[in-house]
Amino acid sequence: MESSGAFCLFLRKEKWNDPRWDSIRNGKRVLDVFRAKKLPVIQIKEVHRPDMVDFGRELDGSEDIHCIESSPYTDYAKLTYPIEGEYLISKRRYSAFFGTDLEILLKGLHVDTLYMIGGLTDVCIHYTAVDAHQNDYHIKVVTDAVAGSSEEAHNYALKAIHYLQRDALITTADMEAALND
């Protein structure tokens, strides 16, 4: 693992009956290693204002109203809840780079590689990975620690990310082995 990596976590409240929950358990394993090694952790969540003025074109697609900042379901997931010293970013668009201070934070931390878990693979992970690539960051998506809006959309997003950077896709086991060396 590059010494200048940061871990980006895209999670919101758990849905215990969701079959994609296994990806979050894998993400927790990766998060535990990052925390033990005292590597930078950036927790990112999407939030929207209750009056919905900041949704823009987002509701033109398949998504319904979601991530309203006053909703208890928009809080961070309990399993991976932020701890003191972790960086928190709220975003209003799919990419964590758009309209946030992520770029300033990454430069201040001297990061050149982003490790990503969470979801949705075909939405927030994909758009952030594209912007990271466009801004010359290395991308590492932990494939069994991300989940998509569907299996098909998940797989297509991973394929698109792999197209950008051939070494971008890793597993939880790969990550644990690299961080524990």
Side-chain angles (χ1 to χ4, degrees):
M1 185 191 103
E2 294 86 351
S3 60
S4 58
F7 181 64
C8 293
L9 177 67
F10 296 82
L11 294 179
R12 57 182 178 220
K13 208 72 164 171
E14 299 96 338
K15 294 182 180 177
W16 292 99
N17 59 351
D18 191 324
R20 297 173 290 189
W21 184 242
D22 285 340
S23 67
I24 304 309
R25 287 188 187 97
N26 286 334
K28 173 69 164 94
R29 289 171 43 200
V30 176
L31 178 59
D32 287 345
V33 175
F34 261 78
R35 286 174 171 170
K37 297 284 186 178
K38 299 192 183 320
L39 296 168
V41 173
I42 303 168
Q43 298 232 20
I44 301 165
K45 70 176 179 176
E46 182 179 353
V47 295
H48 293 286
R49 291 180 176 88
D51 65 3
M52 302 185 307
V53 69
D54 56 0
F55 270 102
R57 302 271 47 98
E58 194 167 312
L59 299 177
D60 290 354
S62 298
E63 288 193 297
D64 292 326
I65 296 169
H66 60 282
C67 299
I68 301 298
E69 61 189 3
S70 59
S71 168
Y73 297 104
T74 303
D75 196 9
Y76 293 96
K78 287 180 186 171
L79 187 64
T80 55
Y81 207 82
I83 62 173
E84 186 175 337
E86 293 180 351
Y87 300 95
L88 308 179
I89 293 181
S90 293
K91 64 186 185 71
R92 302 202 186 269
R93 292 291 191 262
Y94 295 144
S95 173
F97 283 91
F98 191 92
T100 72
D101 65 347
L102 179 60
E103 181 78 8
I104 294 168
L105 180 59
L106 295 173
K107 289 195 182 307
L109 293 169
H110 305 287
V111 168
D112 70 1
T113 304
L114 298 183
Y115 295 83
M116 293 183 267
I117 69 159
L120 295 171
T121 315
D122 50 310
V123 187
C124 298
I125 298 291
H126 181 206
Y127 287 98
T128 300
V130 168
D131 283 350
H133 175 78
Q134 297 292 7
N135 284 295
D136 296 325
Y137 291 98
H138 298 281
I139 307 162
K140 299 294 182 188
V141 176
V142 186
T143 58
D144 56 350
V146 292
S149 61
S150 70
E151 189 66 28
E152 181 181 38
H154 168 80
N155 289 332
Y156 279 126
L158 292 177
K159 185 176 180 179
I161 292 167
H162 181 261
Y163 177 84
L164 294 176
Q165 294 185 15
R166 68 181 154 272
D167 297 327
L169 307 181
I170 61 175
T171 65
T172 300
D174 295 335
M175 181 61 110
E176 289 173 327
L179 288 175
N180 285 318
D181 285 345

